[in-house]
Amino acid sequence: MWSWYLASRALCVLLLVPEFGVLSDITYFARVLTEMGPARALPEYPWPAVALLDLPRLLGAQSGLPYYVSLVALFVAVDAAFAWCLWRAGGSRMTRGMIVWLLAGPVLGPLVVTRLDSLAGELAALALLALSASRPARAGTLIALGCGIKLFPAVGLPALLLPGDWRQRLVAIGGIAITGIVLVAATVAAGGLERLWSPLAFQAQRGLQVEAFAALPFLWLRHFSPGNWESRLGACRCYELHGPGVEQALQLASAGLLIGLVGLAVLYVRAFKAPATARTAALAARLSVLALIVFIATNKVFSPQYMIWLAAPLAVLALLAEDGLPRADFALLIGACALTQVIFPLNYAALAHVEESRAWVLAALLARDAAIVALGVRLAARIWRDTLKRDPA
């Protein structure tokens, strides 16, 4: 297993040579931490994530190559621990879950070893593994820690309450609450009360990012009719679209989110009413991933590392049941990851700058988005089937 893992992650690191642009985030972290200090820097992230990013500096790696190496080594160490957990949970053999995770890394490029999202995604996925092992307290603690790094694991919190009886649910809630209180106390002590909601406030101020699903029609219109829409670098350090219809598109995306939430609520009601035998960790994993897809598809922002959000829990899902991740779902995930790397960082300029727009890049973006939506539809259909009430034998 370790030979395959080392080959996979060595390829991720080697891809940093032609795709060194992905290190821009790490450069940004080192610069603002030096200029502002960990208490005020990076308000777009939860404070525990900032403390983690500041760890190499506390150990003497202030900036430059030492900081890069230290942070990448930290990401790889957590990633290796996650792979080991997948290996152990799969009976120390090469399962489809292991294959998903080992393949998703290089197919996405260097993102797994350079983005905070990998840590948060792995913690959320480990919560599902703990749930499958009937350890609800550990599951609650792990997903709360994931939320302390990036906010997105919060969409998976309701799914943790599916398996087991009310006692297990209370234990899971206790794990979430205790860990959350500790993280909140640490955040307030380090950065003040406003640091608790600064990530949400920052996200609310963002515009329509060029990779967002809602931006795709405008990118096509701009390609064939330049001049009406422009992209500008926003405070988030990503390119945002401006022009006619953009505000209306954001409103439609919000309406789409509400529709998606209603659909999720229906599936959750069915799931909680289903027999105990159907309320498995695999069902929780499917609902978690589906909730993430709804959030991604209706958000005004899409970053390439969001694919890690999907890959980590899907690797666990593939491990939990023989049919947990059918071949079609596997192909949709890996295909979407591969297309994501084609778009970013290899051809991101085609989205960011109208003069470099290329129809084939927009077609790749359309195919990536379609693959994610198709995966969500398949997951929803499977959840619907798995929550059908059956008469006892």
Side-chain angles (χ1 to χ4, degrees), residues 257-339:
L257 176 59
L258 289 176
I259 294 170
L261 291 176
V262 170
L264 280 171
V266 171
L267 291 175
Y268 264 107
V269 169
R270 287 174 61 89
F272 277 107
K273 288 183 176 181
T277 53
R279 289 186 279 105
T280 62
L283 180 61
R286 288 190 181 95
L287 278 163
S288 294
V289 176
L290 180 59
L292 285 168
I293 290 175
V294 169
F295 175 78
I296 288 170
T298 59
N299 203 334
K300 58 186 175 182
V301 176
F302 187 106
S303 294
Q305 57 265 29
Y306 290 4
M307 294 306 303
I308 303 172
W309 301 5
L310 306 181
L314 284 175
V316 172
L317 176 59
L319 185 71
L320 294 179
E322 287 188 12
D323 61 343
L325 193 69
R327 290 181 180 178
D329 294 355
F330 176 86
L332 287 169
L333 171 67
I334 298 303
C337 289
L339 288 168

Side-chain angles (χ1 to χ4, degrees), residues 85-102:
C85 290
L86 287 176
W87 175 256
R88 288 291 302 273
S92 300
R93 58 188 179 87
M94 188 60 72
T95 59
R96 181 169 290 187
M98 280 296 301
I99 293 172
V100 168
W101 191 242
L102 294 182

Side-chain angles (χ1 to χ4, degrees), residues 111-185:
L111 293 177
V112 171
V113 297
T114 58
R115 291 295 191 268
L116 275 170
D117 300 75
S118 61
L119 274 63
E122 288 155 4
L123 285 167
L126 285 173
L128 294 169
L129 269 184
L131 202 64
S132 70
S134 299
R135 301 203 179 272
R138 183 182 300 175
T141 297
L142 287 166
I143 202 164
L145 289 172
C147 294
I149 295 176
K150 295 291 288 280
L151 298 178
F152 73 85
V155 304
L157 291 175
L160 291 189
L161 306 181
L162 276 174
D165 55 20
W166 64 271
R167 293 182 182 85
Q168 290 173 288
R169 292 167 185 168
L170 285 177
V171 170
I173 292 171
I176 295 168
I178 292 172
T179 307
I181 290 170
V182 171
L183 294 177
V184 166

Side-chain angles (χ1 to χ4, degrees), residues 192-224:
L193 280 172
E194 67 277 4
R195 200 62 183 79
L196 292 174
W197 57 78
S198 66
L200 292 173
F202 186 90
Q203 293 300 320
Q205 296 169 5
R206 298 179 72 168
L208 182 61
Q209 199 250 347
V210 293
E211 268 192 86
F213 281 50
L216 185 56
F218 299 109
L219 294 178
W220 279 106
L221 290 170
R222 187 186 68 174
H223 178 76
F224 291 109

Side-chain angles (χ1 to χ4, degrees), residues 45-58:
Y45 295 110
W47 181 83
V50 180
L52 195 64
L53 293 171
D54 194 47
L55 184 60
R57 297 177 69 255
L58 295 176

